[in-house]
Amino acid sequence: MSDKIYFTPGPSGLYPTVASHIQSALLNDVCSLSHRSKKYESIHTSTVEAIRELLQIPSDFHIFFTGSATEIWDRVLENCVEENSFHLVNGSFSKRFYETAKELNKNPKKFEVAFGKGFNTSEITVPEAELLCMTHNETSSGVMMPLSDIYSIRNQKPDSLLVIDAVSSIPYPIFDFTLVDSVLFSVQKGFGLPAGLGVWVVNNKCIEKANLIATKGKSIGSYHSLPSLLSKSVSNQTPETPNVLGIYLLGKVAQDILNRGADKVRKETELKASLLYDYIEKSANFSAFVENPAHRSTTVVVANTILPSPQINPLLEKYNMSIGTGYGKTKDQQVRIANFPGHSVEQIEELISNLKKSIA
Amino acid sequence: MSDKIYFTPGPSGLYPTVASHIQSALLNDVCSLSHRSKKYESIHTSTVEAIRELLQIPSDFHIFFTGSATEIWDRVLENCVEENSFHLVNGSFSKRFYETAKELNKNPKKFEVAFGKGFNTSEITVPEAELLCMTHNETSSGVMMPLSDIYSIRNQKPDSLLVIDAVSSIPYPIFDFTLVDSVLFSVQKGFGLPAGLGVWVVNNKCIEKANLIATKGKSIGSYHSLPSLLSKSVSNQTPETPNVLGIYLLGKVAQDILNRGADKVRKETELKASLLYDYIEKSANFSAFVENPAHRSTTVVVANTILPSPQINPLLEKYNMSIGTGYGKTKDQQVRIANFPGHSVEQIEELISNLKKSIA
C-alpha cells in the first residue's frame, strides 16, 4: 500500500493488515483453491464465525455472500416480498433501495424526509407491508438512525420482516436480532477491504417467506435465491465460484478487529466521531450538515464547507491524506469523512490538525 | 504465490504476472479509488479495450462486469427472454443454465445429449425461442462445440438472439460476432485471475430486447439490467461499487497476453492440447473421455482414469503439481486437466513426464 490515508467513505482506505493478508493468501494459493474443497470450506467457516462473533449474530441466523450490497437489495426484495415493501427514505441510497423495489414491481411505499434529515418516529405510520426496509446509515448525507428509532418503528408491525441496510456503519452497530430479520452490508467501507463482496445476514423467517413465494410459482431468482444460498451454506460453500480472496480477507480483518477488542474499536469510533464533530462545529469553514445531533452519523461525518470541496484534497495532498466530497448534488458544498475501524485515533487527530492548518 | 502449479479447471493457477500486478495495485491505491473517479474510469477503459482487442469484439458490442458468470445466466435470461429460451445441454453447466431458466419461469426448451457427448447438428431442430443458449466448452465433461456447429445451429433461427457461455474456453476462441449476440465468461479460468468477476459481452439487439420487455411492464431486474449497465458503461463506470481490483487485474493480464501475442498463445494452446491428448491415448491408465476427437476440448482435457483420481494428486505432490478430479458423479473415475494461457508448454510437458513416471 502507499502511505496515503484515505478517509473517503467507500471504497475507503484499506485496513492496515490487508496487504499482509493478501501476501499470505498468495503464498497459500487461496486463489487457486476449488470452491468445493475442504480448504475452501475451512476459510468460509472461519469468516462466517468471525463475522458472527464480531456482529453478535445469533447462531440461528445465516450469513451469505454476494457480489455487492447493491445486489442484496435485489435479492431481499425478490425473496421476501410478494406484494409490497415499505421504505424509510432520507438520502440517495435509501431512495435507490426504494427505486429498486419499483423496478422489481414490488409496489413499494415510502416515508420520505429531506436529504440530511433524520426521522421523527412519532410522524411515521407504517402501512401493511411484507418487508420494512431501513437504512441505518445514509452514506450520502451522514444521517444515522438511532437503533431505538428503528425498533420503535418496526414494533408498529411486528409481523412484517425487517431488513437493515448497514453498508456504511458495520461493524460499529450491535443490532438486537430479536427485532431484526435481515442485515446487509459490503466490505469496502467499515472493513477497509477491496470492493466486490456483499454480506447478507438472514433468519429463518426470511427463508420461509422465500419458500412460500416459490410454492406459489413465482420466481425468487436462481443461484442467489435464499433456498439456493442456504443449500450450499450448510456445507460452508456458495452456489457459484465466489470471491474467495474477498471472503478470506474479510475473515482475517474481522479476526484482527476481534483481537484488538471489538468493544475498544467501537469506543474509539465514538471518540473519533466526537473529535471530528467538535472540530467541525468550531471551524470557520465547516459546519455540521445534519442539524439534529442525535441523527449525526458516527461512521460517515458530513459537513458543509465554504471552500468548495474539490479544492480541499489538493491542500491535503502534502500530508498524504484524502477525504470524500459531498454526494451527488451536494458534491462541491459538502465533505464526507469516513471514520472506520482502519482509521486510528492518531490519524483522525492528524487529519483535524492538517485541516486546521490548511483551511480553518 | 507458492511454486505449485495448478492444472485445475477453475479456479485454476494464477497467471504468472498476477502477484506482481497485485503489488502494483496496492502501491497505486487501486482498492481505495472511488468508482466514480477519473482514475477508476481510466482502469475500466483500459480493461474494456484490452478485452475487446484480445477477443476481437467489434466496437458496437458492449462489455459489462458482473459478480460471476453464474450471475450472467440470470441476467441474460431476465433481459433477453420474455417467453422462452432454448438450450443445448450436454453436461452439468449447460444443464444448470437450462435449470436457471426454469427457476426464472422462462419456459425453456432443450436438446440434450449424454454427459461427454457432443452434438450432431443434423439431429437438432431449433424451436421458436427468443434466446438460444449454447455452452462453447462444457467444463464438467470436456466437450467443446466446434464454432461451425454453433453457427449452423444458430442459422436455423437467424432472428433469435444467441448467447454463448464461454466460461472455460475464453480467451482461446475468436467468435464471429456477426452471428453471435452475447458472450459470457468469468476470469478464474482462462485468465488465471482470482474469482469474483464475470464479463458480459452484448450487442444492441440484446439491449433493445431488454427495453422492449421493460416497456411491457415486466421486470428485467434492477442495477444489473442491460439498460442500467449501459447507462453507467457509457461513462466507463458500473452501477454498483464493482470488484475494482478484479477489473484492474483482468486488464493487466489481457494486456500481458496481447504482449506475448494472442495468436501465439492460441497456437500454444492447441499444441499443449495435442500433447495432452497424445499422452492420454498412449497411457495404460488414462483414456480420452470424449470419444469424437472433433468434440474434444482444447482448454479442459478430460480423461478416464483406472487409478481413482483422488489418488493421483498425492503422487504429483512431490512435483508440486495438481490436476482436477472428475466432475460430480464422475469425480473418482475421471481427471480434468486445464490448459489455459497461464500454463506454459514446458509445464504441460513436465506434467506429462511426471504422470508417466508416477502412473503410466
Side-chain angles (χ1 to χ4, degrees), chain B residues 210-243:
Chain B
N211 282 324
L212 180 70
I213 299 174
T215 56
K216 295 184 181 178
K218 296 185 179 177
S219 177
I220 52 172
S222 172
Y223 74 117
H224 272 180
S225 71
L226 283 175
S228 170
L229 285 162
L230 180 64
S231 73
K232 290 296 180 185
S233 152
V234 292
S235 326
N236 301 301
Q237 292 184 6
T238 57
E240 83 288 20
T241 313
N243 181 343

Side-chain angles (χ1 to χ4, degrees), chain B residues 71-339:
Chain B
E71 186 195 341
I72 306 173
W73 289 342
D74 271 40
R75 299 292 90 78
V76 72
L77 290 161
E78 278 179 346
N79 281 266
C80 297
V81 180
E82 193 184 344
E83 296 291 344
N84 46 55
S85 56
F86 173 68
H87 300 252
L88 293 187
V89 175
N90 66 335
S92 307
F93 293 95
S94 47
K95 188 168 195 173
R96 182 79 202 111
F97 195 177
Y98 165 76
E99 282 168 355
T100 296
K102 282 207 288 188
E103 286 169 20
L104 298 178
N105 290 340
K106 298 297 186 184
N107 314 305
K109 292 170 191 147
K110 65 175 171 178
F111 181 89
E112 187 167 6
V113 295
F115 188 80
K117 300 288 178 197
F119 299 100
N120 181 342
T121 58
S122 65
E123 289 176 357
I124 300 175
T125 305
V126 182
E128 287 304 322
E130 297 157 274
L131 181 69
L132 315 181
C133 304
M134 304 191 205
T135 301
H136 179 228
N137 194 59
E138 242 306 342
T139 322
S140 61
S141 66
V143 173
M144 185 177 270
M145 283 185 77
L147 296 187
S148 55
D149 285 1
I150 292 181
Y151 304 145
S152 95
I153 298 166
R154 99 82 76 236
N155 281 336
Q156 287 189 36
K157 292 283 179 246
D159 294 335
S160 299
L161 296 171
L162 167 63
V163 60
I164 299 180
D165 174 336
V167 160
S168 57
S169 57
I170 288 280
Y172 171 65
I174 299 173
F175 294 112
D176 178 349
F177 283 95
T178 65
L179 295 170
V180 174
D181 300 290
S182 181
V183 173
L184 66 93
F185 58 94
S186 54
V187 301
Q188 73 276 10
K189 297 182 189 280
F191 284 104
L193 288 166
L197 187 68
V199 183
W200 189 11
V201 181
V202 294
N203 66 8
N204 286 320
K205 282 191 202 168
C206 296
I207 311 269
E208 285 156 21
K209 178 75 184 184
N211 282 324
L212 180 70
I213 299 174
T215 56
K216 295 184 181 178
K218 296 185 179 177
S219 177
I220 52 172
S222 172
Y223 74 117
H224 272 180
S225 71
L226 283 175
S228 170
L229 285 162
L230 180 64
S231 73
K232 290 296 180 185
S233 152
V234 292
S235 326
N236 301 301
Q237 292 184 6
T238 57
E240 83 288 20
T241 313
N243 181 343
V244 179
L245 180 61
I247 292 170
Y248 172 87
L249 295 174
L250 175 60
K252 293 292 179 191
V253 167
Q255 192 58 55
D256 289 339
I257 295 174
L258 284 167
N259 293 346
R260 260 172 78 191
D263 191 47
K264 181 171 167 242
V265 170
R266 291 188 171 105
K267 288 211 172 85
E268 278 179 6
T269 302
E270 288 164 2
L271 169 65
K272 290 180 291 170
S274 69
L275 292 173
L276 284 165
Y277 283 113
D278 280 355
Y279 161 62
I280 285 166
E281 297 212 325
K282 289 173 191 155
S283 163
N285 180 69
F286 297 111
S287 59
F289 173 52
V290 179
E291 284 166 21
N292 183 344
H295 294 160
R296 284 180 194 159
S297 170
T298 317
T299 55
V300 179
V301 173
V302 177
N304 300 310
T305 175
I306 297 169
L307 186 70
S309 68
Q311 295 177 37
I312 295 178
N313 275 335
L315 298 174
L316 291 174
E317 195 70 47
K318 65 176 164 183
Y319 304 110
N320 235 348
M321 291 186 160
S322 175
I323 63 174
T325 62
Y327 189 87
K329 285 181 192 164
T330 63
K331 189 176 196 307
D332 287 9
Q333 294 80 46
Q334 294 183 353
V335 295
R336 291 180 300 155
I337 302 173
N339 171 26

Side-chain angles (χ1 to χ4, degrees), chain B residues 16-91:
Chain B
T17 56
V18 168
S20 75
H21 290 311
I22 289 178
Q23 304 313 326
S24 74
L26 289 172
L27 273 174
N28 290 298
D29 296 332
V30 163
C31 299
S32 296
L33 292 180
S34 164
H35 56 295
R36 301 288 174 236
S37 67
K38 292 287 167 207
K39 283 185 184 169
Y40 171 75
E41 289 174 17
S42 154
I43 291 171
H44 188 110
T45 306
S46 297
T47 300
V48 166
E49 282 175 0
I51 290 293
R52 196 180 294 284
E53 184 179 347
L54 180 60
L55 305 182
Q56 300 184 21
I57 300 168
S59 60
D60 57 342
F61 277 66
H62 312 282
I63 300 174
F64 301 138
F65 301 111
T66 69
S68 63
T70 305
E71 186 195 341
I72 306 173
W73 289 342
D74 271 40
R75 299 292 90 78
V76 72
L77 290 161
E78 278 179 346
N79 281 266
C80 297
V81 180
E82 193 184 344
E83 296 291 344
N84 46 55
S85 56
F86 173 68
H87 300 252
L88 293 187
V89 175
N90 66 335

Side-chain angles (χ1 to χ4, degrees), chain A residues 45-239:
Chain A
T45 306
S46 297
T47 300
V48 166
E49 282 175 1
I51 291 293
R52 197 181 293 285
E53 184 180 347
L54 180 60
L55 305 183
Q56 301 185 21
I57 299 168
S59 59
D60 57 343
F61 276 67
H62 312 282
I63 299 173
F64 300 138
F65 301 112
T66 69
S68 63
T70 305
E71 185 194 342
I72 306 173
W73 288 343
D74 270 40
R75 299 291 93 78
V76 72
L77 289 161
E78 277 178 346
N79 280 268
C80 296
V81 180
E82 192 183 346
E83 296 290 343
N84 45 56
S85 56
F86 173 68
H87 300 252
L88 292 187
V89 175
N90 67 334
S92 307
F93 293 95
S94 48
K95 188 169 195 172
R96 183 78 204 112
F97 196 177
Y98 165 76
E99 283 167 355
T100 295
K102 282 207 288 188
E103 286 169 21
L104 299 178
N105 291 340
K106 298 297 186 183
N107 314 306
K109 292 170 191 148
K110 65 176 171 176
F111 180 89
E112 186 167 7
V113 297
F115 188 80
K117 300 290 178 196
F119 299 99
N120 181 343
T121 58
S122 66
E123 288 175 358
I124 300 174
T125 304
V126 181
E128 287 305 323
E130 295 157 275
L131 182 69
L132 315 181
C133 304
M134 304 191 205
T135 301
H136 179 228
N137 193 60
E138 242 308 341
T139 322
S140 62
S141 66
V143 173
M144 185 176 270
M145 284 185 77
L147 296 185
S148 55
D149 286 1
I150 291 180
Y151 304 144
S152 95
I153 297 165
R154 99 82 77 236
N155 280 335
Q156 286 188 36
K157 291 284 180 248
D159 293 334
S160 299
L161 295 172
L162 166 63
V163 60
I164 299 179
D165 175 336
V167 160
S168 56
S169 57
I170 288 280
Y172 171 65
I174 299 173
F175 294 112
D176 178 349
F177 283 95
T178 65
L179 295 170
V180 175
D181 300 290
S182 181
V183 173
L184 65 94
F185 58 94
S186 53
V187 302
Q188 73 275 14
K189 298 180 189 281
F191 283 104
L193 287 166
L197 187 67
V199 183
W200 189 10
V201 181
V202 294
N203 66 10
N204 286 320
K205 282 191 202 168
C206 296
I207 310 270
E208 285 156 20
K209 178 74 184 185
N211 282 323
L212 180 70
I213 297 174
T215 56
K216 294 183 180 178
K218 297 185 178 177
S219 177
I220 52 172
S222 172
Y223 74 116
H224 273 179
S225 72
L226 283 175
S228 170
L229 286 162
L230 181 63
S231 73
K232 290 297 181 184
S233 150
V234 292
S235 325
N236 301 302
Q237 292 184 6
T238 57

